[in-house]
Amino acid sequence: MLPQELSSWRSIRMSCKSPPTLQELAEDSLLRNLALAVSALDDVPSYFFPSLFKKACRRRYITMVMAMVRVWPFPCLPLGAMITRKAAYRRILEIILFGLDGLLFQKVRHRRCRLKVLDLRVMPLTMWDKWSVFMASDWSETLARVDHSGTELKPLVKVVIDLVLKRGPLDAVESFIVQWVDRREGLMSLCCGHLQIWSMSVNYHREVLEILDLDSVQKLSLYYMNNPTCLLNFSPYLGRMRYLRSLLLYHLRSGFFLTPVEKQRVITQFTSQFVNLMHLRSLHLHNVSFLRGHLDELFWWLKTPLETLLVTDCFLSKSDWTHMCEFLCTSQLKHLILKWIKLTNFSLEPLRVLLLKTSSTLITLDLEGCQLMEYQLKAILPALRHCTQLTRLNFYGNYLSSYDLEGMDITRSG
């Protein structure tokens, strides 16, 4: 076929749209008569609902959207995956929440309605093509919330968002969601998968933390919390995040103007909360000079084994380094990452002991930029040979020659 003919053929193929499916034809026919569509929802197959709901939202069929919310046949409505534009998001959200009001205050739910979770987390629209996104077992099966009086609250619907708390007010959409849930206490709960807290925002958003179901937080990132009072005020909230799985402490450098007694009080108040974090599996400490000389307190309070420990860009004390291998939380590590920590003047005996303790579980050992010398590597080689699961080893940024390590080459870098 000639190039010109080939180009013409491609143009014809591109201009030809695939014919609509029978489902698409049925949905379009249904939406041409909204009154009929609303009354027919009892008989619409469940697998029609996701695409039908998207079309109703796109065309702003308010009555249809609210009616579908009240008979939603899945545990989860992942709205955050469907709406991307802020203006459209706010309007559709208001419509859906208004529809939820009708659901919440019904004495008897519609027989088809299984809605337990309204997921407002941002995710790709393609997630709507996966049936698993409508099941939401992680959120719908969590424990009931207990309020300050000890009364157990069993909300009818959970609203799930990812929150970023900074110094200053929430954005308009987040503020609207928080206030709307707060006014329906007992009927709804506000859940958060990933909570990020920056600087002194605890002092500005304490009411948000009071409304939030802290048991729902699975990932917490604390950034630049350099005010001791702020850290002290936040500690009780940390202790209530009982199902937290991942924690990042980033630039924790407060305490320059504290007496030793005052600093110890803040550290004790903060680290003692870790005893409640029984599901914590990943801990990342980045530039946490405030805890220098006190990491043993933090590790002592952790009563369950971690899978991942990252300590990066930190100045460790001799006590921090010596005691790191002694605690239960470091006994079953799968990933040990110690980056940009000067270990030149430290004995690697604690690391050798730790490697032997984790020899059956350790998969990753990353010592990038630790300024290790050759004699230090020799000290841990026998322990490394016992790490039968080790598949990733990084010594970049150290002063090493090449060694034969059970068939693995460690090349000199740095």
Side-chain angles (χ1 to χ4, degrees):
M1 186 178 288
L2 297 175
Q4 185 175 1
E5 293 173 334
L6 182 60
S7 178
S8 300
W9 174 248
R10 285 176 178 168
S11 300
I12 292 171
R13 288 187 63 187
M14 291 176 66
S15 63
C16 295
K17 295 182 179 179
S18 2
T21 64
L22 290 177
Q23 179 177 334
E24 290 171 340
L25 291 172
E27 290 169 355
D28 291 338
S29 174
L30 193 62
L31 290 174
R32 279 195 286 270
N33 187 335
L34 290 181
L36 175 63
V38 170
S39 63
L41 283 176
D42 281 359
D43 303 312
V44 173
S46 295
Y47 57 83
F48 275 41
F49 267 70
S51 58
L52 191 62
F53 187 81
K54 285 194 290 184
K55 288 180 180 179
C57 288
R58 192 181 307 121
R59 299 175 190 180
R60 301 293 189 270
Y61 293 160
I62 297 175
T63 305
M64 184 66 173
V65 170
M66 290 194 297
M68 292 189 74
V69 170
R70 291 170 187 169
V71 298
W72 192 253
F74 308 107
C76 180
L77 175 53
L79 184 66
M82 193 185 68
I83 304 298
T84 55
R85 293 180 301 169
K86 283 289 185 181
Y89 183 93
R90 173 66 183 266
R91 178 59 182 146
I92 292 297
L93 185 59
E94 289 176 348
I95 293 169
I96 289 172
L97 292 181
F98 188 75
L100 272 176
D101 265 339
L103 173 66
L104 293 172
F105 294 107
Q106 284 177 347
K107 292 184 179 179
V108 180
R109 273 197 178 197
H110 190 279
R111 63 176 180 81
R112 293 197 68 180
C113 184
R114 296 175 58 203
L115 183 61
K116 296 180 180 179
V117 176
L118 178 61
D119 194 340
L120 304 181
R121 294 175 299 167
V122 176
M123 60 183 78
L125 180 58
T126 53
M127 292 297 291
W128 273 63
D129 299 328
K130 300 178 181 179
W131 284 104
S132 59
V133 79
F134 300 102
M135 297 302 109
S137 58
D138 288 347
W139 299 105
S140 57
E141 295 173 4
T142 51
L143 297 177
R145 180 186 176 189
V146 177
D147 67 10
H148 296 301
S149 66
T151 304
E152 187 176 71
L153 304 175
K154 295 183 178 179
L156 297 177
V157 177
K158 300 183 180 189
V159 177
V160 182
I161 57 176
D162 285 332
L163 271 176
V164 180
L165 303 182
K166 295 186 176 181
R167 185 169 180 172
L170 297 173
D171 69 35
V173 173
E174 290 176 338
S175 179
F176 171 70
I177 295 169
V178 171
Q179 292 176 19
W180 192 87
V181 172
D182 187 37
R183 289 195 294 268
R184 289 151 184 82
E185 184 178 6
L187 298 174
M188 304 194 72
S189 66
L190 185 65
C191 300
C192 181
H194 183 191
L195 177 61
Q196 300 180 62
I197 301 180
W198 287 74
S199 190
M200 295 175 61
S201 62
V202 174
N203 298 331
Y204 295 86
H205 297 295
R206 187 172 297 186
E207 72 284 354
V208 177
L209 293 172
E210 290 294 336
I211 295 167
L212 192 63
D213 180 0
L214 295 173
D215 273 348
S216 70
V217 181
Q218 298 178 2
K219 183 176 181 181
L220 173 66
S221 301
L222 299 179
Y223 297 99
Y224 297 100
M225 197 170 285
N226 297 328
N227 184 294
T229 302
C230 185
L231 191 63
L232 199 63
N233 291 338
F234 177 73
S235 294
Y237 296 108
L238 175 64
R240 287 162 53 192
M241 297 179 185
R242 297 179 299 167
Y243 296 93
L244 190 68
R245 296 189 62 83
S246 176
L247 173 61
L248 164 65
L249 301 180
Y250 190 93
H251 276 273
L252 194 65
R253 303 176 62 183
S254 56
F256 298 113
F257 304 106
L258 297 177
T259 66
V261 173
E262 291 171 335
K263 182 178 180 179
Q264 183 61 59
R265 174 173 169 260
V266 175
I267 289 175
T268 300
Q269 174 70 13
F270 179 70
T271 58
S272 63
Q273 305 303 320
F274 281 69
V275 73
N276 298 315
L277 308 183
M278 301 299 291
H279 295 268
L280 191 67
R281 294 295 177 265
S282 177
L283 177 62
H284 185 177
L285 308 174
H286 180 88
N287 199 351
V288 289
S289 59
F290 181 64
L291 296 176
R292 185 181 184 186
H294 299 273
L295 287 182
D296 57 338
E297 294 180 46
L298 188 155
F299 291 140
W300 185 84
W301 284 108
L302 273 173
K303 301 304 181 183
T304 53
L306 294 169
E307 292 182 358
T308 302
L309 175 62
L310 296 90
V311 184
T312 57
D313 197 21
C314 290
F315 290 98
L316 300 182
S317 71
K318 185 176 180 180
S319 173
D320 292 333
W321 177 248
T322 302
H323 296 298
M324 190 178 293
C325 62
E326 298 176 358
F327 300 99
L328 176 64
C329 66
T330 60
S331 63
Q332 298 178 32
L333 290 173
K334 291 183 179 180
H335 308 282
L336 176 61
I337 294 93
L338 306 173
K339 282 190 173 185
W340 312 305
I341 301 172
K342 188 176 179 181
L343 298 177
T344 307
N345 299 322
F346 285 153
S347 164
L348 289 199
E349 178 62 15
L351 179 58
R352 189 190 70 82
V353 173
L354 184 56
L355 291 175
L356 290 175
K357 284 179 63 176
T358 60
S359 60
S360 63
T361 58
L362 194 65
I363 297 171
T364 302
L365 176 62
D366 193 334
L367 299 174
E368 180 178 335
C370 292
Q371 303 182 35
L372 288 169
M373 307 302 290
E374 290 184 8
Y375 74 91
Q376 293 177 299
L377 174 62
K378 288 180 180 179
I380 63 170
L381 277 177
L384 279 173
R385 292 192 179 98
H386 286 84
C387 297
T388 56
Q389 304 301 313
L390 192 65
T391 58
R392 184 174 184 272
L393 186 61
N394 182 13
F395 282 139
Y396 181 81
N398 294 283
Y399 305 104
L400 308 174
S401 299
S402 297
Y403 284 94
D404 181 23
L405 178 60
E406 292 289 321
M408 293 183 291
D409 289 327
I410 305 175
T411 56
R412 182 184 183 277
S413 59

